[in-house]
Amino acid sequence: MSHPQGQVAKGDTIIFLVDEYRNGKPTHFDGEILSVEDKGVDVIYLSGHHSRNDFIPWHDIIAKYDANQPYITLENAPYQGRFVVFDTESETEEVQPCN
C-alpha cells in the first residue's frame, strides 16, 4: 500500500470516507476527482438522488479504481473491484456501512 498523493489525478474514480452530514459519522462513498490540491482532492459523488461535492483530505482516500489491477474485496470498505489500495490514517472503527 502507498499514499494517494501523487497517484491520483483529475477524472480518477476513488473510494473515500466523508462525514457527509457533519454529524461525526463518516461513511464510504465513491466519486470522481474534479481537482487535485496540496491537502487532498475535490470530489463529486452521488448521495441518494443528489450529487454532492466535497473536499477529501489525503488520509480519507481509501482506494483508486484501476482496470489493470486484480479483482479484490476491500478490507476497510464495502466495495469490490479493481483497485489500487492506499494507506489511510482514518479510524475505521467509527465508520457506518453505507446501504
Side-chain angles (χ1 to χ4, degrees), residues 82-98:
R82 300 176 184 279
F83 299 107
V84 173
V85 180
F86 300 118
D87 286 331
T88 179
E89 299 170 15
S90 299
E91 295 181 6
T92 57
E93 296 84 57
E94 299 181 66
V95 174
Q96 303 297 316
C98 77

Side-chain angles (χ1 to χ4, degrees), residues 23-79:
N23 62 1
K25 298 179 180 177
T27 55
H28 298 97
F29 282 93
D30 59 280
E32 184 176 324
I33 296 176
L34 295 177
S35 66
V36 178
E37 313 280 327
D38 289 338
K39 296 185 179 187
V41 296
D42 188 35
V43 177
I44 189 163
Y45 61 100
L46 290 177
S47 174
H49 63 280
H50 296 283
S51 64
R52 291 186 55 103
N53 177 252
D54 278 307
F55 180 81
I56 308 300
W58 294 118
H59 63 84
D60 286 339
I61 300 174
I62 297 169
K64 173 181 85 166
Y65 174 76
D66 184 343
N68 298 318
Q69 297 297 314
Y71 191 89
I72 62 170
T73 298
L74 294 178
E75 293 179 13
N76 55 353
Y79 286 85

